[in-house]
Every structure is written in structure tokens, then in C-alpha cells.
Amino acid sequence: MTDLRLLHPQFLDILTELDQPPFQGIYVLQDDVHLATPPPHPSEHVTANFNPLATTPLPPTTGVKISLSRVNPRKPPHLYKISNAGSTRSNLATYSIRESEKESRSSHETSSDGLAAHLANAAAGKPPVFGEDNALLTPAIGKDGVRRKKPKTNIVKSNSSFISRVMPHEAMTKRIQDHNPEGLFAFANINRAFQWLDLSSNNDSKAQHIIKILFTKAHMLCHDINSFTKGPSHLDIIMGASTADIMWFEAFSQKYARINKNAVINASPIYQIKWLPGSENLFLAAHMDGTLIVYDKEREDAAFVPEESSSLASLSKGPDKDHRSLLVNKSVNSRNQKSNPVASWKISNHRINDFAFSPDSRHLAVVTEDGYLQIIDYLNEQWGFSSMTASAL
């Protein structure tokens, strides 16, 4: 894992606010941090397969996945309006990332007008929130308003067989208290281990985890940080496992909860997982059987059977020759929202490799193992279109 310095850091500040990855620029390597791969658990039966042509399915793995988070993001640079009186579209606002109108744009600087416009649009109104029209998904408001909840089980003191070992740093509390709010935290999953690192600490302790969690048989394949709820004393993280279990972990309190425990809702491994844009509780998990499921971190689980309404009326078909479709096994508008899942969609018989939300938070792009890219209007639970990627042709 590397800590990289961008020679044009103003872009990184904007992209941190937008939850977008850095793009073009010159990167300079500053540090190397080695993440040790944990050995298999003694109870985990590992069968060596030396035949490269064998058809025996292997346990799912995704290697190392890492997330960087700053709990106190820097404010984006000031955006000012540029005069465009000579343009025939003078009624449209044009914004620049430059700090003054006299400042020239370097030849190495990537055009940022699109990003700036997106920032201006985002500031003008909130992005749409999934399920906001269903009153059953609205959190109850008490005397003190809506209180932010945390998981109940302390992971350090847990005696669950799901967790093999928890190794907090001996000075964990002090390291968290001394952390620079503008410094970077790093979270990484590698096989059956999940680690929390502080990249803003000194060189001696940078490679030392704040906390390291080893799971018994589950390999964590993915994780995501909720940028909507994060703060100097709160970090909601979700992890998806090879056993189909989902773990909601609040980093600062070291407390956790399990969702889809023992695969009660879906038994397929989770290959990707992300919080829904603008949501405090809802997240989307991509199961390897081609199912997308929306979970609520605060709802109990219950054995799931597709609802009767999941008929042809709920089947949004595409016009392509493969008859790709979005089968709604449970709609977000369902009146049955006492337990998870909040919504369930079957989009393919192949593994979902990855998915991403559009910048306006209205569409979902999904890539499956058979090489297809599908665009879904997830707010309205409707299939958009699909296209075979170049690598699949």
C-alpha cells in the first residue's frame, strides 16, 4: 500500500468532497507500508489444486482493497464566476478552480470546469435519496431528533466464533486522540484480515495498525466508508464477506453488528458493497449470484422469500438479444419493511464484478463477469440499457 502525493493537491481536495478517486496528474511515491497476508485459520480446510485446467470452484478472493478517509475534509477551493459576455450562452454560469481570474492555467493542469460545475450543482440541492418516498423507511424522530446509532457489540470483547482474534494497538486510544483531523486513515481488507492504519502518524508507527481483526473462516472481500455520516468521532464501515455475512463496524467505538448473519437472506458471497448516496443507514451489496440487495444497517434480518408482486409487472426487460432484465424480488416501495432486505433485484446469472453510482446519484452502472455493462435507474427500480465491454468482445 502506498501513500501518494499529488503535485496538484487542489484536485484531491475537490475529489474528496465528491467521493471520487484522483485522476490525471504526477504522483510521487512517499512511503511503503507492508500489509502481511494472514495464514489460513487452523479450522479452515485448504485444498491445494495444482491442475490449471481444473473446473473445481475456488474460494472467492479479491486481493487487497484499501480505502482512505479524512474525518475532517479540507474545504474545496473558492469557486468564482467567470465573465462570459461574449458567449451566446451567457446566461449559463461558468466556474473555475483558479484562485483568481488573473491566474493562468498550467499546461499540466487538467480541465476542472466540469468538476466545478458539479460542485456548484451539488451545493444548490441535495442528491436524491433512495426510498425517500416510502414513509416506512423514514427513521423515527424522538424528542432529541434523529439520534445516530452505533452497533452494540464490542469487537475487542466479543466471544463470537465468527471472529478469530482482535489485535488493538497497545496505545490505540492515545493514537486516536492524537490523530490529526486532516490526516489520512487507511482501511484495508486482505483475505481474512481487516486493518485500520493512521498514515498521518510518524514513520515508526505508520505501519503499525490501530486495530487488526482476524476472522475465522470468512474472507473480507470488500468494504466501504460512509462519507455521509463520518466525522471526528464517528466512522461507519461496512464489509462484505466470502461467507455472505456483512459486518457493520463503527471504528471509534470498536463496536460491530452482523447483517445477513449465517446467510439468512442470501447465501452467495459479496463481491462489492457500497453505501447508498446520501443515506445514513442503507447500503447496496452485490452478491456473486447476480443479485443486488439493499440492506439497512439498523434492521433485523429475516428469512427472505421473493414477494408475490415480483411477477412480469416487476420485470423490466431490455431490448437486447440476451433479454437482460431487472427482476425486482422486493421493491423499495414494499409495505413489508420490518426487516432486511429493503430491496432485492436480480440482474444476471453471472457474478457482479463491480458497480458505481453516477455523479448525480440517479443511476447505477453494473459490470458482470460475462463482460456486460448495465445501466440501471435504481431510484425507480428500472432497467436502462446494457452494452458488452471491449474486453468481452
Side-chain angles (χ1 to χ4, degrees), residues 304-314 327-331 334:
F304 175 62
V305 177
E307 297 184 350
E308 294 182 0
S309 60
S310 301
S311 59
L312 291 178
S314 303
L327 176 61
V328 181
N329 288 322
K330 181 180 179 180
S331 171
S334 170

Side-chain angles (χ1 to χ4, degrees), residues 59-72:
T61 181
T62 57
V64 180
K65 286 194 175 182
I66 187 168
S67 296
L68 301 180
S69 179
R70 183 183 292 121
V71 295
N72 186 22

Side-chain angles (χ1 to χ4, degrees), residues 130-132 134-139 281-282 296 299 332 337 342:
F130 180 76
E132 61 185 351
N134 190 341
L136 297 175
L137 296 176
T138 304
N281 298 334
L282 304 182
D296 188 324
R299 294 182 190 272
V332 66
Q337 294 292 356
V342 173

Side-chain angles (χ1 to χ4, degrees), residues 16-17 19 67-71 73 148-149 187 194 223-232 234-239 247-252 273-284 295-298:
T16 300
E17 296 297 318
D19 290 324
S67 296
L68 301 180
S69 179
R70 183 183 292 121
V71 295
R148 181 164 296 159
K149 296 183 180 180
F187 298 89
F194 184 82
H223 70 273
D224 192 35
I225 302 169
N226 194 332
S227 60
F228 185 73
T229 62
K230 73 176 181 180
H234 192 95
L235 270 176
D236 285 318
I237 304 169
I238 43 169
M239 313 174 205
M247 183 171 168
W248 165 33
F249 177 58
E250 201 290 303
F252 288 104
I273 195 167
K274 291 181 182 179
W275 294 95
L276 290 183
S279 178
E280 186 168 324
N281 298 334
L282 304 182
F283 57 89
L284 182 63
Y295 295 91
D296 188 324
K297 67 179 175 64
E298 296 180 2

Side-chain angles (χ1 to χ4, degrees), residues 33-101:
V33 179
H34 177 69
L35 300 178
T37 302
H41 190 267
S43 65
E44 189 176 3
H45 180 66
V46 179
T47 303
N49 190 345
F50 301 102
N51 182 2
L53 301 179
T55 57
T56 305
L58 298 175
T61 181
T62 57
V64 180
K65 286 194 175 182
I66 187 168
S67 296
L68 301 180
S69 179
R70 183 183 292 121
V71 295
N72 186 22
R74 301 171 186 170
K75 294 181 180 180
H78 175 69
L79 305 177
Y80 66 92
K81 194 172 181 179
I82 298 176
S83 174
N84 54 359
S87 171
T88 57
R89 302 174 62 189
S90 58
N91 60 319
L92 298 179
T94 304
Y95 295 87
S96 172
I97 185 95
R98 290 170 288 165
E99 296 184 2
S100 67
E101 192 165 0

Side-chain angles (χ1 to χ4, degrees), residues 67-344:
S67 296
L68 301 180
S69 179
R70 183 183 292 121
V71 295
N72 186 22
R74 301 171 186 170
K75 294 181 180 180
H78 175 69
L79 305 177
Y80 66 92
K81 194 172 181 179
I82 298 176
S83 174
N84 54 359
S87 171
T88 57
R89 302 174 62 189
S90 58
N91 60 319
L92 298 179
T94 304
Y95 295 87
S96 172
I97 185 95
R98 290 170 288 165
E99 296 184 2
S100 67
E101 192 165 0
K102 296 180 180 179
E103 181 183 339
S104 62
R105 185 188 296 273
S106 167
S107 60
H108 298 289
E109 184 177 340
T110 304
S111 173
S112 60
D113 292 341
L115 279 175
H118 181 83
L119 270 179
N121 293 337
K126 295 182 179 180
V129 178
F130 180 76
E132 61 185 351
D133 295 331
N134 190 341
L136 297 175
L137 296 176
T138 304
I141 301 177
K143 295 181 180 180
D144 300 328
V146 179
R147 297 186 62 183
R148 181 164 296 159
K149 296 183 180 180
K150 294 186 178 182
K152 297 179 180 179
T153 307
N154 189 307
I155 197 167
V156 179
K157 301 177 181 178
S158 174
N159 56 3
S160 170
S161 60
F162 182 70
I163 298 172
S164 172
R165 187 182 177 191
V166 179
M167 294 173 284
H169 190 273
E170 57 184 7
M172 178 178 65
T173 303
K174 185 177 186 303
R175 289 186 64 186
I176 294 176
Q177 291 175 347
D178 294 344
H179 173 74
N180 181 357
E182 293 190 357
L184 286 175
F185 279 135
F187 298 89
N189 60 261
I190 173 171
N191 291 2
R192 64 185 189 95
F194 184 82
Q195 300 187 42
W196 177 15
L197 305 169
D198 184 359
L199 299 184
S200 63
S201 56
N202 58 51
N203 292 331
D204 294 334
S205 59
K206 184 174 294 187
Q208 299 178 17
H209 56 260
I210 296 177
I211 192 170
K212 183 176 182 179
I213 307 168
L214 292 177
F215 299 91
T216 306
K217 293 184 178 180
H219 285 207
M220 288 299 159
L221 305 180
C222 50
H223 70 273
D224 192 35
I225 302 169
N226 194 332
S227 60
F228 185 73
T229 62
K230 73 176 181 180
S233 61
H234 192 95
L235 270 176
D236 285 318
I237 304 169
I238 43 169
M239 313 174 205
S242 60
T243 56
D245 291 85
I246 297 171
M247 183 171 168
W248 165 33
F249 177 58
E250 201 290 303
F252 288 104
S253 65
Q254 294 94 53
K255 293 185 176 182
Y256 80 101
R258 283 172 66 186
I259 302 165
N260 194 32
K261 185 176 180 180
N262 299 323
V264 65
I265 296 173
N266 188 301
S268 178
I270 298 170
Y271 210 71
Q272 183 58 284
I273 195 167
K274 291 181 182 179
W275 294 95
L276 290 183
S279 178
E280 186 168 324
N281 298 334
L282 304 182
F283 57 89
L284 182 63
H287 290 266
M288 290 182 65
D289 64 352
T291 303
L292 289 168
I293 297 182
V294 178
Y295 295 91
D296 188 324
K297 67 179 175 64
E298 296 180 2
R299 294 182 190 272
E300 297 294 330
D301 293 338
F304 175 62
V305 177
E307 297 184 350
E308 294 182 0
S309 60
S310 301
S311 59
L312 291 178
S314 303
L315 186 62
S316 176
K317 284 192 173 183
D320 64 340
K321 62 181 181 180
D322 293 324
H323 302 292
R324 296 189 172 270
S325 60
L326 174 69
L327 176 61
V328 181
N329 288 322
K330 181 180 179 180
S331 171
V332 66
N333 298 313
S334 170
R335 306 304 299 175
N336 178 21
Q337 294 292 356
K338 293 182 180 181
S339 59
N340 280 318
V342 173
S344 176

